[in-house]
Amino acid sequence: MSDILVHTEAGVCTITFNRPDKKNSITAAMYGAMADALVAAQEDAAVRCVVIQGSETMFSAGNDIADFLNNPPAGTRSPVFRFLRGIAQFPKPLIAAVCGPAVGVGTTLLFHCDLVYAGDNAAFSMPFVNLGLCPEAASSLLVPQMLGYHRAAEALLLGEPFMAEAALEVGLVNRVLPPTEAAGYAQSVARKMAAKPISSLVETKRLMKKNHTEQVLAVMDEEGASFGRMLREPAAKEAFGAFMERRKPDFSKL
């Protein structure tokens, strides 16, 4: 599909958000394409590393609201959960190059990556509460683990953006670069990694993650159940209605 580009070269599979007219917002079909790309990359012995990237000015605006309302997640076999479980369990190195806004899942997917390189224009946000929803992608577990509780509470309870330097300070990103250099740098690191023994890469990642993978998946499932329930409740309906009508939501009676 044209909204998700998948290209493999020199042992590196690159997955690119390619929907600039919609700020790289993600549809169910795009989640499905990315989930399929991860499965193919896992099974392809020639692929040693995967890179996820957007453009120099936009990583992803998160879920496409209209598509999300028309195609709400329906259980763990839905495209979004296939993708989220796919990145949580992906055995090979996973790298992200992030420039511009990374909203919602555009940020939470990064907590499952092994390396993240950001442009100095990157802006990370997890505004789930502003939509009457709760965190997803196991972010209620992973964000406090990485940021510490108080910073996580600020990010998840306020839902306000934080910039690349703040993300570097807390360890969400490995390096901040000019936007014109972030993707190229991520590719250079991916090629360096692809030259190493795949068995060593996979086993090292497995050992680092083995003590919390099952917990991540369990939290992901719990969040998904809460997310689905809250999506049908008045606060989310008001938030999404206000978004579609281009007005400020009124939660005063909710």
Side-chain angles (χ1 to χ4, degrees):
M1 69 175 312
S2 61
D3 292 341
I4 294 292
L5 304 180
V6 181
H7 176 73
T8 299
E9 183 178 349
V12 179
C13 173
T14 303
I15 300 172
T16 304
F17 294 117
N18 184 48
R19 202 180 179 218
D21 57 317
K22 297 294 185 179
K23 299 181 179 179
N24 287 343
S25 58
I26 309 173
T27 63
M30 292 167 69
Y31 279 121
M34 290 190 293
D36 291 344
L38 289 175
V39 170
Q42 179 174 336
E43 295 176 349
D44 187 349
V47 173
R48 305 293 186 94
C49 184
V50 169
V51 175
I52 300 176
Q53 64 183 18
S55 70
E56 293 177 2
T57 58
M58 173 64 65
F59 186 63
S60 173
N63 285 319
D64 180 295
I65 298 299
D67 181 83
F68 186 73
L69 293 176
N70 290 328
N71 301 284
T76 57
R77 297 180 66 86
S78 63
V80 60
F81 284 112
R82 283 183 56 229
F83 169 70
L84 293 178
R85 293 180 74 86
I87 58 171
Q89 300 177 95
F90 191 69
K92 299 176 183 180
L94 187 58
I95 299 174
V98 184
C99 297
V103 181
V105 70
T107 289
T108 59
L109 72 84
L110 303 175
F111 289 90
H112 300 279
C113 294
D114 302 298
L115 299 169
V116 179
Y117 299 105
D120 57 23
N121 63 342
F124 307 88
S125 62
M126 295 173 283
F128 304 110
V129 294
N130 301 336
L131 294 171
L133 299 171
C134 66
E136 37 82 303
S139 53
S140 62
L141 170 70
L142 299 175
V143 176
Q145 282 182 351
M146 181 171 288
L147 275 61
Y149 181 81
H150 289 104
R151 282 176 168 169
E154 188 172 51
L156 289 171
L157 295 178
L158 288 175
E160 295 176 351
F162 56 98
M163 305 308 288
E165 289 297 336
L168 178 66
E169 180 185 352
V170 298
L172 177 58
V173 306
N174 295 84
R175 183 171 296 196
V176 177
L177 303 137
T180 55
E181 299 176 14
Y185 190 86
Q187 288 290 329
S188 68
V189 172
R191 290 191 185 96
K192 185 186 298 185
M193 206 169 284
K196 301 181 186 298
I198 187 62
S199 59
S200 294
L201 294 172
V202 169
E203 184 63 8
T204 299
K205 179 171 177 174
R206 185 191 72 80
L207 289 167
M208 286 195 292
K209 293 204 166 193
K210 71 183 177 77
N211 290 327
H212 70 276
T213 298
E214 291 304 316
Q215 185 183 17
V216 165
L217 295 175
V219 170
M220 197 176 282
D221 287 346
E222 182 180 3
E223 289 174 347
S226 295
F227 196 100
R229 170 179 53 80
M230 296 182 76
L231 190 60
R232 299 186 295 272
E233 293 179 348
K237 290 180 179 179
E238 167 62 15
F240 285 112
F243 180 87
M244 300 303 289
E245 296 165 13
R246 301 182 183 274
R247 59 176 174 82
K248 186 176 181 179
D250 180 7
F251 300 122
S252 61
K253 297 179 181 180
L254 300 175

